[in-house]
C-alpha cells in the first residue's frame, strides 16, 4: 500500500500539474471572455482534483506507513512555519519553541502530516492570526495551535473529524474534507492525545496535542 501510494502520487499528480499549468497559459491567451471563463473553470477543477488526490494519498499513507520512529517537533514546526508563510502570506503566524523541547515517539513523516494539517487549517480559517506554542508537559512534549477565527460550535466539533466533512467554514473552498480525518487516523495510530476545542472567551479554535516521549 505504501509503495502504491508513492507510485500513484507520482503518476497522477505530475500530469495533473501539467494540465493545470497548460490551462493557465491558454486562459491568459483566450480570444473571448467566454473562452477565458471556460478555461478558468477547467483550471480550477483540475487544481481541485489535484488537491483531493493529495488528500486521498495522504490518508492511505497514514494507514500504511510504519508508526515506529521519533520526531524532532521543533524542527518540524520550524519547517511548517516557513511553508505556511509562503502559502498564506497574509496570515500573522508566530511560534514559541523552547530550546529543550524533547523528541516525540512516532514516525516523523506522519507527525509532520498532523502538524501541517492543523497549522494550515488554522491559517486558512483562523482570522489572520495563528499562534503555535510548544513545551514539555510532564514526560512528553505538548503543542498548542490556536487562531482567532469564528471557531466551531459543539455540534460541529463532534463531527469535524468525519471524512468528507467540510463544515461551514470550508464551504466554497477546495479539497475533499479529508484533512482532519487524516489527523485523527494518525493520532490514534501513534497514541497522540488530541483535543480540538473552542477558544473561550475569545473567538477561535484550539488544537491541543500531547505526544508520547521518545
Amino acid at each position: 500500500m505504501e509503495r502504491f501510494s508513492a507510485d500513484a502520487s507520482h503518476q497522477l499528480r505530475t500530469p495533473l500539474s501539467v494540465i493545470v499549468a497548460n490551462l493557465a497559459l491558454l486562459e491568459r491567451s483566450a480570444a473571448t471572455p467566454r473562452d477565458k471563463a471556460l478555461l478558468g473553470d477547467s483550471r480550477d477543477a483540475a487544481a481541485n482534483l489535484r488537491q483531493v488526490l493529495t488528500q486521498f494519498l495522504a490518508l492511505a499513507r497514514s494507514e500504511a506507513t510504519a508508526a515506529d520512529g521519533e520526531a524532532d517537533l521543533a524542527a518540524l514546526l520550524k519547517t511548517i512555519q516557513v511553508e505556511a508563510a509562503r502559502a498564506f502570506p497574509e496570515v500573522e503566524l508566530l511560534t514559541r519553541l523552547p530550546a529543550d523541547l524533547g523528541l516525540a515517539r512516532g514516525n516523523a513523516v506522519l507527525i509532520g502530516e498532523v502538524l501541517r494539517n492543523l497549522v494550515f487549517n488554522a491559517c486558512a480559517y483562523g482570522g489572520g492570526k495563528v499562534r503555535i506554542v510548544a513545551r514539555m508537559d510532564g514526560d512528553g512534549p505538548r503543542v498548542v495551535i490556536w487562531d482567532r477565527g469564528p471557531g466551531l460550535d459543539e455540534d460541529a466539533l463532534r463531527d469535524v473529524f468525519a471524512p468528507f466533512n467540510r463544515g461551514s467554514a470550508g464551504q466554497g473552498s477546495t479539497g475533499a474534507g479529508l484533512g482532519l480525518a487524516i489527523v485523527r487516523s494518525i493520532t490514534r495510530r501513534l497514541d497522540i492525545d488530541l483535543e480540538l476545542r473552542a477558544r473561550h472567551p475569545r473567538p477561535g479554535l484550539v488544537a491541543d496535542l500531547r505526544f508520547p516521549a521518545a
Side-chain angles (χ1 to χ4, degrees):
M1 177 63 75
E2 187 175 355
R3 186 172 65 253
F4 166 78
S5 297
D7 291 344
S9 175
H10 175 74
Q11 295 296 330
L12 296 176
R13 282 192 298 180
T14 300
L16 277 172
S17 296
V18 173
I19 291 170
V20 171
N22 288 344
L23 286 171
L25 289 172
L26 290 171
E27 182 185 1
R28 286 199 289 269
S29 59
T32 67
R34 179 177 179 274
D35 290 344
K36 188 178 183 66
L38 288 172
L39 288 166
D41 288 344
S42 299
R43 173 181 50 78
D44 291 343
N48 186 38
L49 179 58
R50 181 178 57 185
Q51 183 175 352
V52 171
L53 173 65
T54 299
Q55 289 184 317
F56 271 118
L57 292 171
L59 184 59
R61 284 196 303 270
S62 75
E63 296 172 351
T65 303
D68 297 336
E70 58 185 30
D72 184 338
L73 294 179
L76 284 173
L77 288 169
K78 288 175 183 176
T79 299
I80 292 167
Q81 183 181 16
V82 172
E83 294 172 354
R86 291 173 181 166
F88 303 93
E90 73 284 0
V91 173
E92 180 186 317
L93 175 60
L94 298 179
T95 61
R96 189 163 75 234
L97 306 175
D100 60 346
L101 185 63
L103 298 176
R105 187 174 73 244
N107 183 284
V109 173
L110 295 181
I111 290 176
E113 193 75 36
V114 167
L115 295 171
R116 187 173 290 104
N117 267 293
L118 293 172
V119 171
F120 274 50
N121 270 8
C123 289
Y125 310 116
K129 291 189 177 182
V130 176
R131 302 291 181 266
I132 304 171
V133 178
R135 65 177 184 271
M136 289 299 295
D137 187 2
D139 294 331
R142 180 178 182 182
V143 176
V144 180
I145 303 163
W146 57 269
D147 60 55
R148 297 185 181 180
L152 296 171
D153 59 30
E154 293 300 322
D155 290 337
L157 282 171
R158 280 195 295 270
D159 299 330
V160 73
F161 291 109
F164 310 109
N165 178 21
R166 303 296 306 282
S168 58
Q171 299 303 317
S173 61
T174 60
L178 285 171
L180 289 178
I182 293 167
V183 167
R184 174 57 77 199
S185 172
I186 296 172
T187 54
R188 284 177 172 168
R189 285 196 68 205
L190 302 187
D191 294 324
I192 299 168
D193 182 13
L194 168 63
E195 180 187 8
L196 204 62
R197 63 178 183 271
R199 178 174 174 252
H200 290 306
R202 298 175 180 177
L205 195 65
V206 178
D208 192 345
L209 301 113
R210 293 176 174 84
F211 295 86

